[in-house]
Amino acid sequence: MQLDETDHALIHALNIDGRAPFSKIADVLGLSDQTVARRYRRLRSTQAVRVVGQTVPWRVGHVRWYIRIKCAPATALPLASALAKRSDTYWVRMFSGGTEIGCVAQSHTAEHTDALLLQQLPRTPRVSEVTAHSLLHVFFGGPAEHLGLVETLTREQVARLQPETHPTDEVVVLDEADHRMLAVLEEDGRAGFAELAKATGWSESTVRRRLDYLHDIGALFYDLDMDIQLLGFSCEAMMWMSVSPAEIASVGEALAAHPEVAFAAAITGTSNLIASVNCRNVPAFYRYLTTRVAALKAINHIETSPVIRTVKRGATLVG
């Protein structure tokens, strides 16, 4: 599948406001409503791009874990596929020649976490090691972040699409109807109010108010789940770094400013900083490591894990 300038502009627009009406996007881009709707349906049907609703974990009382699983090569793909089918996992990927799996798990309760980390994974045949790192702080990759891979719109166009929000530090208590609504949004961030009302048992007006509230305070945001290889980025890698506690913030903020970085966060464990990196190719990744990363002298140790296969992205099962 080839993406053209119109696709790139639509992707950039959706990254700014994933639930913006197609009519508004069309007006900003100078296209017809039908063209915008048709292009998005094509992108979504081919798993190239999908708008998904995501919550900021601590804002809704959840805990997010970054899990590393070392296993025998023959076990890796079946285990990764099983993890990808779980509703609480994201970014299930295989690293290091097929002997390591990395994934993100978001837990609603302590019991949920214990079942996965203490009971299920350690008992999986031919799994030699499981480590779990709790998310402490996100430097880049959350609400209102720009998509550095595709930035084609003018400042004026971006301003016209930018939704107004009023972020707070409030922790929102979710009920079962909220969870059902968010489950739908994880599959389709542009799901209609009628569909969300059916899932929750609320009226459409109640759904609209709840959705607007969660988004306005910054507990819910809309992300793009996309195949970056279609944009010409063939090299993905995770970087696991160790820095002194006094340097975590400065290094994390420096990584957040790198266009190669799609996600950067502080986590628990010996490797207390992680970053997900996208580069055009392996030589470009080498240049990135030996220039931008090498300039961060506070990094005491770094481990790079090239992605050899992605089984599940933010919400999309791949393959």
Side-chain angles (χ1 to χ4, degrees), residues 27-300:
D27 182 54
V28 172
L29 300 186
L31 301 169
S32 69
D33 299 10
Q34 293 83 358
T35 296
V36 170
R38 184 176 65 251
R39 288 296 184 106
Y40 178 67
R41 285 196 297 268
R42 180 174 68 96
L43 291 170
R44 193 177 189 280
S45 67
T46 57
Q47 297 188 344
V49 175
R50 177 164 58 151
V51 176
V52 294
Q54 298 283 304
T55 53
V56 178
W58 71 269
R59 295 293 309 277
V60 294
H62 295 176
V63 178
R64 179 163 285 192
W65 298 88
Y66 290 80
I67 304 171
R68 303 181 73 179
I69 306 162
K70 295 184 179 179
C71 58
T75 303
L77 184 55
L79 178 56
S81 298
L83 285 168
K85 294 175 183 176
R86 295 177 60 103
S87 62
D88 59 349
T89 62
Y90 313 89
W91 292 109
V92 180
R93 297 183 285 191
M94 297 169 61
F95 303 104
S96 306
T99 60
E100 182 178 335
I101 300 167
C103 78
V104 176
Q106 187 158 312
S107 302
H108 299 176
T109 65
E111 292 78 13
H112 198 147
T113 302
D114 290 348
L116 177 63
L117 300 182
L118 302 180
Q119 299 175 28
Q120 297 169 12
L121 286 175
R123 295 178 182 176
T124 303
R126 306 188 76 181
V127 168
S128 58
E129 182 180 346
V130 178
T131 57
H133 309 261
S134 179
L135 174 70
L136 298 178
H137 180 78
V138 175
F139 294 103
F140 188 85
E145 303 290 13
H146 70 275
L147 183 66
L149 305 182
V150 181
E151 293 192 340
T152 63
L153 305 186
T154 65
R155 289 184 180 181
E156 180 185 1
Q157 288 174 310
V158 170
R160 291 173 63 189
L161 287 165
Q162 193 75 55
E164 183 178 351
T165 59
H166 304 87
T168 69
D169 291 331
E170 178 186 353
V171 176
V172 181
V173 178
L174 302 178
D175 61 21
E176 287 303 314
D178 285 316
H179 285 299
R180 292 194 296 271
M181 178 178 70
L182 293 172
V184 174
L185 291 171
E186 280 193 353
E187 291 297 318
D188 181 6
R190 295 187 62 87
F193 293 116
E195 181 180 355
L196 295 173
K198 182 178 180 181
T200 59
W202 296 335
S203 67
E204 291 188 32
S205 60
T206 299
V207 167
R208 184 188 295 270
R209 286 195 299 271
R210 186 60 168 172
L211 209 58
D212 288 345
Y213 169 72
L214 292 174
H215 183 254
D216 183 59
I217 66 170
L220 170 69
F221 66 101
Y222 301 102
D223 200 6
L224 284 190
D225 187 352
M226 64 182 301
D227 182 356
I228 65 165
Q229 293 196 11
L230 292 174
L231 301 176
F233 293 83
S234 62
C235 181
E236 296 179 74
M238 286 293 295
M239 301 192 306
W240 301 80
M241 294 155 282
S242 297
V243 304
S244 67
E247 302 290 348
I248 290 176
S250 61
V251 175
E253 289 165 3
L255 289 168
H258 295 175
E260 296 86 353
V261 172
F263 180 82
I267 57 172
T268 58
T270 304
S271 296
N272 48 16
L273 273 176
I274 58 170
S276 179
V277 177
N278 299 317
C279 293
R280 291 284 180 185
N281 48 41
V282 172
F285 181 46
Y286 172 77
R287 289 192 297 273
Y288 172 63
L289 282 176
T290 55
T291 54
R292 290 179 178 272
V293 177
L296 302 175
K297 302 301 182 183
I299 297 177
N300 299 318

